[in-house]
C-alpha cells in the first residue's frame, strides 16, 4: 500500500496483534505512518513485532501491552492506564479471536465453546464498550471488526465458532445503528480461509492437521486481509464500508473450496 496521509499519526489499536491478520495489519498501518497500540496475551511476540517495525520505520510510535480480552477488568485497567498521549484511539481493530475444535455439537468440548464465546464475542464487546464513548466525545473514530464467512454461513461442525461470528455480525450491525447520528464508522471485514495460525489453534497445536486446511489451494494470506482493513480505514470520512467478504479465488462459499 502507498503512503496515505489520512492515517499519518492516527492512533490505531489492534487486538490480537501477535500473530496472523493482527500482526500483518499492524505492519500495513505502519507503512501508512499510523501510531500503533498493539495488544495480545503473548507480550514477547509483540516486543519482537515492535522491534521489527522500529527497523522498518524508524521513529514510528508503537506502544505494546499484554492483554487478554476475555478479562473485562484487565481491559478496563489496560485502557485506563495507557499513557496520556495514547488515550485518543482513532481506529479500533477488534481482531483477537480464535476457533477451538471442529466437532459435532453433541461431542464438543464446553471449554472450547467458552473460550470462543469469551474471546470472539465478549472480548470484542468489552473493547468496544471501553473505546467507543471516547470516540463519540471526540467526534471521530472507526471500529473495524474482524468477522468471518463463518458469520454468514454455518458449515458442518462449525456450530459454536459460526455462532460467535454470527454474533459479531449482529453486534457490528447493532453498533452501526446506534452510532448513526455520530461521525463514527463501523465496518466488518469477513474473510474466508486465511493461512495463519488459526487452524493450529483450532486443532489444539496439531500442525499436520492444520496444514491440510490449506492444502491444494492458494489460500489468502494475512497481508491480503490487512490491505483490505487499511483500505476500509482510508476511505473519505463520508464513506462507511459496512462489510466486506474476502475469499481466495478457489473458495466460493464457507465449505466450497476447489483443491488442485
Ligand atoms: P491467529 O491465530 O494467527 O491470530 C489470532 C490472534 O488473536 C493472536 O494474535 C492471538 O494472540 C489473539 N488472541 C486470541 N485470543 C486472545 C485473547 N483472549 N486476548 C487477546 N488476544 C487474543 O489467527 P488469525 O490471524 O487468522 O485470526 C484473527 C481473526 O481473524 C480472528 O478473529 C479470526 O476468527 C478471524 N478470521 C480468521 C480466518 C482464517 O481463516 N484465518 C478467517 C476469518 C476470520 P495471543 O495468543 O498472543 O493472545
Ligand atoms: C475462519 C474461516 O471458514 O475456517 O473464520 O471458519 S473458517
Amino acid at each position: 500500500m502507498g503512503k496515505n496521509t489520512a492515517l499519518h499519526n492516527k492512533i490505531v489499536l489492534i487486538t490480537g496483534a501477535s500473530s496472523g491478520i493482527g500482526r500483518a495489519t499492524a505492519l500495513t498501518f505502519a507503512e501508512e505512518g499510523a501510531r500503533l497500540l498493539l495488544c495480545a496475551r503473548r507480550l514477547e511476540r509483540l516486543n519482537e513485532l515492535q522491534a521489527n517495525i522500529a527497523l522498518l520505520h524508524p521513529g514510528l510510535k508503537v506502544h505494546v501491552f499484554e492483554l487478554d480480552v476475555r478479562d473485562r477488568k484487565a481491559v478496563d485497567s489496560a485502557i485506563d492506564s495507557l499513557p496520556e498521549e495514547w488515550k485518543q484511539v482513532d481506529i479500533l481493530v477488534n481482531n483477537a479471536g480464535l476457533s477451538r475444535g471442529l466437532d459435532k455439537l453433541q461431542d464438543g468440548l464446553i471449554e472450547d465453546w467458552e473460550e470462543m464465546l469469551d474471546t470472539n464475542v465478549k472480548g470484542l464487546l468489552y473493547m468496544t464498550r471501553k473505546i467507543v464513548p471516547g470516540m463519540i466525545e471526540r467526534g471521530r473514530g472507526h471500529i473495524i471488526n474482524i468477522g468471518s464467512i463463518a458469520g454468514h454461513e454455518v458449515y458442518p461442525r462449525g456450530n459454536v465458532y459460526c455462532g460467535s461470528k454470527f454474533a459479531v455480525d449482529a453486534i457490528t450491525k447493532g453498533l452501526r445503528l446506534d452510532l448513526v447520528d455520530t461521525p463514527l464508522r463501523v465496518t466488518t471485514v469477513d474473510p474466508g480461509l486465511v493461512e495463519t495460525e488459526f487452524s493450529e489453534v483450532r486443532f489444539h497445536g496439531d500442525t499436520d492437521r492444520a496444514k491440510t486446511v490449506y492444502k491444494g489451494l492458494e489460500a489468502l494470506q494475512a497481508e491480503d486481509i490487512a490491505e483490505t482493513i487499511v483500505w476500509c480505514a482510508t476511505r473519505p470520512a463520508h464513506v462507511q464500508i459496512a462489510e466486506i467478504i474476502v475469499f481466495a479465488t478457489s473458495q466460493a462459499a464457507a465449505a466450497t473450496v476447489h483443491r488442485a
Side-chain angles (χ1 to χ4, degrees):
M1 304 215 44
K3 281 264 173 235
N4 194 310
T5 49
L7 286 175
H8 198 69
N9 270 336
K10 287 275 188 298
I11 298 183
V12 181
L13 169 49
I14 304 171
T15 65
S18 61
S19 172
I21 294 168
R23 185 178 189 281
T25 302
L27 287 163
T28 308
F29 272 115
E31 283 172 25
E32 307 292 335
R35 292 167 59 188
L36 298 171
L37 260 177
L38 308 176
C39 60
R41 292 165 301 178
R42 288 171 291 178
L43 187 59
E44 68 290 353
R45 289 245 196 145
L46 296 174
N47 286 330
E48 195 186 305
L49 176 59
Q50 184 173 27
N52 278 340
I53 293 172
L55 284 176
L56 291 166
H57 308 283
L60 192 91
K61 290 192 173 162
V62 180
H63 182 79
V64 302
F65 58 101
E66 188 177 337
L67 180 64
D68 184 336
V69 296
R70 294 172 298 177
D71 183 340
R72 183 165 57 87
K73 286 193 179 137
V75 169
D76 284 351
S77 79
I79 303 303
D80 287 340
S81 57
L82 282 174
E84 211 50 48
E85 57 166 330
W86 286 101
K87 281 198 194 310
Q88 303 200 352
V89 174
D90 295 293
I91 299 170
L92 168 63
V93 183
N94 275 317
N95 162 76
L98 78 181
S99 65
R100 285 289 196 194
L102 190 63
D103 305 304
K104 291 192 175 182
L105 194 92
Q106 58 270 32
D107 303 323
L109 292 177
I110 288 172
E111 312 83 74
D112 283 351
W113 302 348
E114 285 176 343
E115 193 174 1
M116 288 187 278
L117 295 170
D118 287 350
T119 310
N120 303 356
V121 184
K122 289 165 74 179
L124 176 144
L125 283 170
Y126 298 153
M127 290 300 301
T128 305
R129 180 66 182 82
K130 191 68 188 168
I131 298 293
V132 167
M135 289 178 165
I136 296 172
E137 268 174 40
R138 294 186 291 278
R140 64 174 199 274
H142 193 164
I143 301 94
I144 304 179
N145 291 335
I146 309 307
S148 171
I149 187 56
H152 298 266
E153 294 176 49
V154 182
Y155 53 85
R157 299 171 192 255
N159 44 61
V160 178
Y161 178 69
C162 294
S164 76
K165 291 298 184 177
F166 269 73
V168 170
D169 186 53
I171 290 163
T172 306
K173 286 176 173 144
L175 182 63
R176 197 178 302 113
L177 291 170
D178 295 340
L179 292 175
V180 71
D181 57 350
T182 77
L184 274 60
R185 299 185 288 182
V186 184
T187 296
T188 176
V189 174
D190 299 343
L193 290 170
V194 189
E195 197 166 1
T196 62
E197 292 174 20
F198 177 86
S199 294
E200 216 175 303
V201 172
R202 165 168 263 176
F203 299 130
H204 295 279
D206 182 341
T207 44
D208 288 339
R209 189 172 176 200
K211 279 187 197 141
T212 65
V213 175
Y214 312 106
K215 208 169 169 191
L217 82 142
E218 189 176 346
L220 293 169
Q221 300 300 309
E223 293 70 23
D224 299 317
I225 304 307
E227 287 194 1
T228 307
I229 293 166
V230 173
W231 181 81
C232 293
T234 50
R235 295 312 87 208
H238 68 287
V239 177
Q240 174 175 228
I241 306 297
E243 62 184 40
I244 297 191
I245 295 176
V246 189
F247 280 142
T249 305
S250 50
Q251 179 167 23
T256 305
V257 176
H258 174 72
R259 294 178 196 276

